[in-house]
Amino acid sequence: MKTRFLIGLLIIGIVVISGCVGPDEGDVTVVGGVEFQIRNAEYEAGKIIVTLSTNVSVDDVRIDIVDETDQLLCTRYKDLIAGITQIEMTDCKAKERITVSVSPPGGGIVTREFTLGIPTPRVDIVSAEYVLGAIALKLDANMAVKNTRIEVSDEHGTVLCTEYVDLSEGINEIRPKGCGAENKITVSVTPPEGVMTTADFTLELPLLELKEGFKYVYEAVSCAGCSKRDSSIYVTKETGGYWEGIAGIKIDESKKAYLMRWRINKDDLDLSATLPLTEDAVLGDVEYIDDVTQIQSIGQSGNSMMPFWMILWKEAYDLDIDELVTTHTTIMTVDQQSVTFSTSNPALYGNYLAYTVDLGVSGDGAQTESIELVISAAKPYLIMDVNVGGSAQQTSFKWVEQKEFSLDEYAGYSIEEGTPTVAKIVTPRPIQEEPAPPSPPPGVE
């Protein structure tokens, strides 16, 4: 019985002693009469944290970290307090095996080796979509990682774009430049010294659509010898039934600007608009004009509405846009001439899905020059490009950005007011002689 009792006590003693043994905090080394102990080094959130202890305070102590090949990774000078001091080495490239060395000003050195638990960088590809005609990626990084390679390829393996970015820990939204647009893509993400991840996506091709809070920038020319005009449309409001916004154009030669309000019904694409408004009136309550044939009677200021050419033709000449996009052909009559619109299935134009529309004109005085329009494949079928043989009329879409309307963009320009007159919409078609533009109301150039 005594023997069993003694054995039991021995076992309990061993367990108690084992339970009291803590983590290895390193040896105490005396340098210059000061006790130094390198207690720990660990990797956390992109930095190495070194824990030291001394029995007295010591100023200007040098801490070096080297890798297993003795290559210096980083250096820090730190004043140590009596007791425990933690030092964050934020500029230190982490290696799995390191040596920490501590050198007080009076000479001598204390070293200790560590094996760090460094996580392997990994970036998961959460999603991909087209936003404003460009690819937008959502990436989830398990840690902050610099110089990560992102590559986007098409379904045949052709690289569309490559970009190197710095990622923070967690969700990152990245928009690589110059990728173009494809229906099927493969995205690969490779952090340095990390794991490459890939993901395949089948995406809806981007559409140029009207969205509240966005600005659409155009370049327009409407007459022989005219310089290019910067024209923009802003969508200030969108509901389930209509879009509403402001159209603006700048005339640099005269430093004049024209601002018009517009509204488009989403169902039947009926367009209402104002004539040019004063600076004080453009953001207030306005009265819309349903007879949009007056829009181009006000000279060059009417060019701000050129992105809505398809709707203007629909209003003035009963152009059947629905028939055009469903059957790929339709006809309208202009001044006893028959204008045939023909197209095919939408395809990418730039970074957007669009219809290329060919116009054929027949009847008295009709010319044979080609007329080509590019229109967005989404309502309200915004004009994206115009190629009119023999005519000075041009309109080209440049870009879209998320931006609210602000009068600050027209600083330095005199904002002019217009008054209604009666005139026809100018139809972009080849002509032998350039007709004089409609006379603007008094005071409008």
Side-chain angles (χ1 to χ4, degrees):
M1 290 293 293
K2 290 184 178 179
T3 302
R4 291 181 180 178
F5 179 73
L6 291 174
I7 292 174
L9 287 176
L10 180 62
I11 293 173
I12 293 172
I14 292 173
V15 171
V16 170
I17 293 171
S18 299
C20 292
V21 176
D24 180 12
E25 295 185 339
D27 297 331
V28 176
T29 303
V30 179
V31 177
V34 180
E35 296 179 357
F36 288 89
Q37 185 181 25
I38 304 175
R39 300 169 68 96
N40 192 27
E42 59 184 341
Y43 181 83
E44 181 180 317
K47 55 184 177 287
I48 298 175
I49 301 175
V50 177
T51 304
L52 307 175
S53 67
T54 56
N55 62 332
V56 295
S57 297
V58 186
D59 293 339
D60 203 30
V61 174
R62 173 174 174 151
I63 300 97
D64 290 322
I65 296 181
V66 299
D67 64 13
E68 57 186 331
T69 64
D70 292 329
Q71 180 181 355
L72 181 64
L73 302 177
C74 58
T75 296
R76 179 84 180 272
Y77 288 87
K78 180 72 175 178
D79 295 338
L80 305 183
I81 62 174
I84 296 175
T85 303
Q86 277 197 338
I87 303 116
E88 292 187 356
M89 313 290 279
T90 55
D91 58 344
C92 200
K93 186 176 181 180
K95 296 283 187 175
E96 185 178 5
R97 296 182 63 83
I98 63 168
T99 297
V100 178
S101 65
V102 179
S103 306
I109 188 170
V110 181
T111 64
R112 185 179 175 189
E113 295 182 355
F114 292 93
T115 299
L116 301 180
I118 303 174
T120 301
R122 178 183 174 86
V123 182
D124 292 325
I125 305 167
V126 178
S127 65
E129 62 179 334
Y130 289 112
V131 177
L132 302 181
I135 189 73
L137 304 175
K138 189 172 288 187
L139 309 176
D140 187 3
N142 69 334
M143 58 186 294
V145 57
K146 294 185 176 181
N147 206 35
T148 300
R149 176 187 172 96
I150 298 174
E151 189 173 272
V152 180
S153 305
D154 64 15
E155 60 181 320
H156 305 294
T158 301
V159 176
L160 302 175
C161 62
T162 301
E163 191 158 324
Y164 290 84
V165 298
D166 296 339
L167 301 177
S168 59
E169 183 179 353
I171 298 296
N172 297 258
E173 294 186 1
I174 305 296
R175 298 189 182 186
K177 298 177 182 178
C179 289
E182 293 287 340
N183 181 243
K184 295 182 179 181
I185 63 169
T186 296
V187 180
S188 64
V189 180
T190 309
E193 303 178 5
V195 177
M196 183 180 76
T197 55
T198 63
D200 297 325
F201 295 94
T202 299
L203 305 178
E204 292 186 4
L205 291 173
L207 294 168
L208 184 61
E209 302 175 278
L210 292 180
K211 295 291 185 183
E212 182 176 334
F214 284 82
K215 173 187 177 183
Y216 302 74
V217 180
Y218 281 79
E219 187 176 80
V221 175
S222 65
C223 58
C226 291
S227 60
K228 294 176 181 179
R229 311 302 195 199
D230 290 329
S231 175
S232 301
I233 56 175
Y234 306 80
V235 183
T236 57
K237 184 177 182 179
E238 181 180 7
T239 71
Y242 64 87
W243 297 281
E244 191 172 78
I246 298 172
I249 192 168
K250 299 175 181 177
I251 313 297
D252 285 340
E253 298 95 318
S254 60
K255 284 298 177 181
K256 292 182 178 180
Y258 300 90
L259 299 172
M260 304 165 64
R261 291 270 293 276
W262 54 266
R263 178 183 288 174
I264 299 173
N265 186 292
K266 288 186 175 182
D267 290 333
D268 55 18
L269 297 185
D270 281 348
L271 171 66
S272 301
T274 69
L275 293 175
L277 301 168
T278 64
E279 182 175 348
D280 293 335
V282 70
L283 295 176
D285 294 332
V286 298
E287 183 176 346
Y288 289 101
I289 301 170
D290 291 329
D291 182 9
V292 296
T293 59
Q294 298 183 39
I295 288 174
Q296 289 216 8
S297 69
I298 54 178
Q300 294 195 48
S301 57
N303 291 335
S304 63
M305 298 293 288
M306 290 304 184
F308 302 134
W309 259 356
M310 295 297 287
I311 302 177
L312 293 172
W313 280 332
K314 166 189 163 300
E315 299 282 295
Y317 305 116
D318 295 323
L319 171 65
D320 193 333
I321 304 175
D322 288 337
E323 182 179 52
L324 172 64
V325 299
T326 54
T327 69
H328 303 313
T329 186
T330 192
I331 298 173
M332 74 178 189
T333 302
V334 181
D335 297 336
Q336 298 182 345
Q337 292 184 350
S338 178
V339 183
T340 301
F341 291 72
S342 59
T343 186
S344 56
N345 290 326
L348 277 174
Y349 182 84
N351 281 5
Y352 294 97
L353 202 59
Y355 292 99
T356 298
V357 182
D358 295 314
L359 277 67
V361 182
S362 59
D364 295 340
Q367 303 300 311
T368 59
E369 289 93 343
S370 63
I371 307 173
E372 184 180 270
L373 307 176
V374 179
I375 63 173
S376 170
K379 285 184 176 183
Y381 307 110
L382 293 171
I383 291 288
M384 296 181 65
D385 208 351
V386 179
N387 181 10
V388 183
S391 172
Q393 292 179 353
Q394 299 175 13
T395 297
S396 298
F397 167 73
K398 294 303 178 183
W399 72 83
V400 56
E401 58 184 321
Q402 190 166 4
K403 196 169 190 179
E404 301 284 349
F405 173 79
S406 172
L407 285 168
D408 292 342
E409 294 192 40
Y410 296 86
Y413 289 81
S414 173
I415 297 176
E416 303 294 312
E417 184 178 16
T419 56
T421 60
V422 178
K424 295 180 180 179
I425 292 178
V426 177
T427 303
R429 62 176 185 270
I431 46 180
Q432 290 183 335
E433 295 183 3
E434 187 77 10
S439 299
V444 178
E445 299 182 3

